[in-house]
Amino acid sequence: MTALRIALIGLGTLVAAYGGYVLVTRQDGDNLLSAGTWLVGGVVLHDAVLAPLTLAVAFVAVRLLAAPWRLPATVALVVLAPLTLLAVPVLGRFGALEDNPTLLDRPYLASWLVLVAVAALTVAVVGWVRARGPAVRGRSGEEQADGTRTRR
């Protein structure tokens, strides 16, 4: 297992180095500055806005949802939050041009709504199965499917 991890880390490092090389050698200074701003902005937006907002919503959800529904709802939130953030430019149709109808020519809002519906349906099905299934046996102090805590 260790050799596989080392090989994957090496491969990932080589691919990242090649990508960095291509970026630096084939772009002018303005494009590099724009790419750097976009990369730094994404990290700042994630760490300053998205992560705290996701934690706040998850904190409230833990208080409001029954135990079987917490995990699937949290997973859906963690999936939908960054995907929604990434979809903002296409959902807002930023960059669409009147003289080029081939830019942003897909039904992005409908696709995003399908993603939300699939996530909601998955939460409903998994939550329902967890609520109807046998109690989850966990380590001492963990919640079971019925909301009680185990004691050993």
Side-chain angles (χ1 to χ4, degrees):
M1 186 67 144
T2 304
L4 178 61
R5 285 185 183 179
I6 291 171
L8 289 175
I9 290 170
L11 179 63
T13 303
L14 287 173
V15 169
Y18 176 72
Y21 169 77
V22 169
L23 178 68
V24 171
T25 59
R26 296 188 185 172
Q27 301 295 323
D28 61 6
D30 290 340
N31 287 342
L32 288 175
L33 183 61
S34 294
T37 303
W38 185 83
L39 290 171
V40 170
V43 170
V44 169
L45 186 62
H46 176 273
D47 291 352
V49 178
L50 182 63
L53 185 61
T54 302
L55 288 174
V57 171
F59 180 79
V60 171
V62 164
R63 304 278 184 277
L64 297 177
L65 294 174
W69 299 88
R70 290 179 190 155
L71 179 64
T74 302
V75 170
L77 174 68
V78 169
V79 168
L80 285 176
L83 287 177
T84 299
L85 185 63
L86 287 172
V88 166
V90 294
L91 292 174
R93 303 198 46 81
F94 306 126
L97 300 174
E98 292 289 328
D99 60 341
N100 189 351
T102 62
L103 290 176
L104 300 174
D105 63 342
R106 304 235 179 345
Y108 296 107
L109 180 59
S111 300
W112 181 80
L113 289 173
V114 167
L115 174 69
V116 171
V118 167
L121 181 64
T122 302
V123 167
V125 169
V126 171
W128 182 80
V129 167
R130 287 171 54 97
R132 301 292 180 262
V136 176
R137 294 210 182 261
R139 295 183 302 247
S140 178
E142 285 188 349
E143 284 193 20
Q144 296 182 13
D146 62 358
T148 61
R149 293 202 172 266
T150 59
R151 299 197 197 290
R152 289 188 186 178

